[in-house]
Amino acid sequence: MDRRDGTRHVRVAVIGSGFGGLGAAVRLRREGITDFVVLERADTVGGTWRDNSYPGCACDVPSHLYSFSFAPNPDWPRTFSGQRHIRAYLEHVADRFGVRPHLRLGHEVRLMRWDGDAAHWEIETSRGTFTAEVVVSATGALSDPKIPDIPGLDGFPGTVFHSARWDHGFDPRGKRVAVVGTGASAIQIVPAIQPDVARLTLFQRTPPWVMPRVDRAISPAERALHRALPFTGAVRRGVLWGIRELQVQAFTKRPDELGLVESLAKANIARAIKDPALRAKLTPSYRIGCKRILLSSSYYPALARPNVDLVASGLAEVRGSTLVAADGTEAEVDAVVFGTGFHVTDMPIAERVVGEDGVTLAESWKDGMASLRGATAVGFPNWMTIVGPNTGLGNSSMILMIESQLAYMADYLRQLDGLAGRGGTGRAVLTPRPAAVAAWNRRVQERMRRTVWNTGGCTSWYLDAGGRNTTIWPGTTGEFRRATRQVDLAEYEVGRAGQGVPGQRAATTRKKEAAR
């Protein structure tokens, strides 16, 4: 419905069109809700699998597990699919489930503000204004690249870009290229460009643990079987899921059991790296699993090539075309590729969400992200996030977590409908109680204490500026599914349009309670 001032009103506004956003759109349609839009800042769908198009980009979760349960793909070409095929899959989902008419591409969200009197969200985008009864934020944690503030970088005369914004006009052949960072993107980029560059210099602050990537082409016979007998694909997915569920105990309760895996990882280094000095630089000093275990069978062989230099120190300064490491090592290069991750615990979108107290989500979360069941936040009525705080995984598929949150979203909307019907008139409003958010996060953090992510002796992007793990889920995906199966109204305050929320507190009080 359009207002006279040109503002479009919808029941639900979904932000983002990656796995979370498209999944939300499909679930809304399956629930019979068609009055919604998907606001996307780019000109196509795909989220992180649209943005990350660097050489060698691929998923480190098996294809049949890294896809929606309601949209199995019998034609995955490899056991671990590349970026091109995953993006094509997401385009297929948008087509197959009728999402296209709801897409508003090129609509970057600039501000979302809650209007308590009208009980709706006012959403300003780069191409117009919307109001929505409910906002589902599915922008994802890997949306906004992070480039460190390096003195002198602005004066670098060559090419500079982040791995998630790959410059396809740049030809690395015959160039001296520096790669900064050794995360999941870097270990794919390095072997992909190493054969073409004149010299590759890798700046490594902390070495990752890398296990072999047991990847292969899925045969035509296998694909034909999955097409003819869909249950075989479901069985394959179930086996992959079960194996990863069994691994969770070692990560969350008994990190010492990861010693055997660590030995296998060291053997993987030894097979490819014969130089003892280089091998020592590549061997981590922290417990395996503290940072995400990376998969590659080509990373170590690439580092052993004669045109590759490993600088076991972070990039500290740029002097013209010379890069200077913290240990004083210098490298003259023509291009710099940053594989330095994303704004995960300080997502920029949080600065654009203004809740009922006039406080932004970024301000509310300045002492650490906190939500109820990874979905709703204190002071932000009728607002949900997909892949929210403490929903990340260290060993399995995020699609499993996303589908659990979609089930919670569906029940949240049902509860709003039920409350509106019982109230007779007026739109219903749900806001999580500070005590409920505090209790949920207290349980999560208590479980987090003995996990490998907190005890493994590393500093990772899982931790926020205060050293608190607000990213990872310290349990199985099955546990999370049970915890988000339905909304418990006892955990929420209920209000109506024009009435606000009963028991409304000042923003500062709410933040303190939620952080306890």
Side-chain angles (χ1 to χ4, degrees), residues 118-460:
H120 67 212
W121 285 91
E122 297 179 348
I123 307 169
E124 298 177 16
T125 80
S126 56
R127 295 178 62 180
T129 304
F130 295 78
T131 59
E133 298 170 24
V134 177
V135 165
V136 178
S137 181
T139 57
L142 307 182
S143 299
D144 294 284
K146 179 186 289 186
I147 293 181
D149 185 13
I150 305 294
L153 182 61
D154 290 345
F156 181 72
T159 303
V160 178
F161 53 87
H162 190 279
S163 59
R165 301 291 185 268
W166 191 269
D167 182 354
H168 289 279
F170 170 69
D171 185 355
R173 289 177 296 182
K175 301 290 197 314
R176 300 166 299 176
V177 179
V179 175
V180 182
T182 52
S185 300
I187 71 156
Q188 295 178 343
I189 293 169
V190 167
I193 68 173
Q194 174 271 320
D196 296 325
V197 301
R199 188 141 216 95
L200 192 152
T201 304
L202 178 63
F203 287 81
Q204 168 192 277
R205 283 195 309 175
T206 308
W209 284 109
V210 182
M211 295 290 285
R213 183 184 182 87
V214 187
D215 186 24
R216 65 173 179 83
I218 297 176
S219 69
E222 290 174 275
R223 283 180 270 170
L225 176 65
H226 294 329
R227 283 195 300 272
L229 301 172
F231 79 88
T232 60
V235 168
R236 185 175 192 156
R237 177 187 175 91
V239 170
L240 292 168
W241 169 78
I243 291 171
R244 280 154 181 77
E245 291 290 274
L246 292 174
Q247 296 171 347
V248 171
Q249 292 279 358
F251 287 91
T252 60
K253 295 180 180 179
R254 295 187 288 272
D256 288 345
E257 293 183 358
L258 292 166
L260 175 60
V261 181
E262 204 167 283
S263 298
L264 295 174
K266 288 180 178 178
N268 186 42
I269 300 173
R271 275 193 298 271
I273 306 298
K274 303 307 178 184
D275 178 5
L278 180 57
R279 193 161 60 237
K281 292 178 181 178
L282 292 170
T283 303
S285 59
Y286 55 87
R287 173 63 75 190
I288 194 169
C290 184
K291 291 174 178 279
R292 188 178 180 100
I293 300 172
L294 306 181
L295 302 181
S296 176
S297 297
S298 56
Y299 177 64
Y300 289 139
L303 294 183
R305 302 300 298 169
N307 68 330
V308 177
D309 294 316
L310 175 69
V311 179
S313 181
L315 177 61
E317 185 183 357
V318 177
R319 301 173 189 159
S321 59
T322 302
L323 274 55
V324 184
D327 66 359
T329 303
E330 296 185 0
E332 190 89 6
V333 301
D334 303 306
V336 183
V337 178
F338 283 95
T340 45
F342 300 83
H343 291 276
V344 176
T345 59
D346 58 343
M347 295 182 290
I349 190 68
E351 299 174 357
R352 307 179 188 184
V353 185
V354 183
E356 62 186 355
D357 297 308
V359 174
T360 67
L361 186 62
E363 291 169 333
S364 180
W365 282 354
K366 69 180 179 65
D367 295 324
M369 297 190 299
S371 68
L372 178 59
R373 302 180 187 274
T376 56
V378 172
F380 296 84
N382 289 13
W383 181 90
M384 306 187 69
T385 181
I386 306 297
V387 189
N390 291 114
T391 60
L393 296 175
N395 74 311
S396 192
S397 172
M398 279 304 301
I399 314 306
L400 302 169
M401 302 295 279
I402 288 171
E403 289 199 35
S404 293
Q405 291 196 290
L406 297 181
Y408 194 78
M409 175 198 73
D411 195 53
Y412 187 96
L413 292 168
R414 290 188 211 108
Q415 296 290 351
L416 285 174
D417 283 344
L419 290 166
R422 290 199 292 273
T425 59
R427 189 175 299 144
V429 175
L430 284 176
T431 309
R433 296 179 181 275
V437 177
W440 171 260
N441 283 278
R442 186 164 51 248
R443 291 195 297 271
V444 168
Q445 293 303 320
E446 284 173 356
R447 294 184 62 180
M448 195 71 71
R449 287 176 186 169
R450 57 177 174 171
T451 66
V452 69
W453 307 299
N454 279 36
T455 64
C458 73
T459 299
S460 72

Side-chain angles (χ1 to χ4, degrees), residues 105-124:
L105 302 175
H107 283 64
E108 181 175 8
V109 173
R110 293 175 173 168
L111 183 68
M112 291 181 276
R113 184 183 298 275
W114 174 252
D115 183 334
D117 291 332
H120 67 212
W121 285 91
E122 297 179 348
I123 307 169
E124 298 177 16

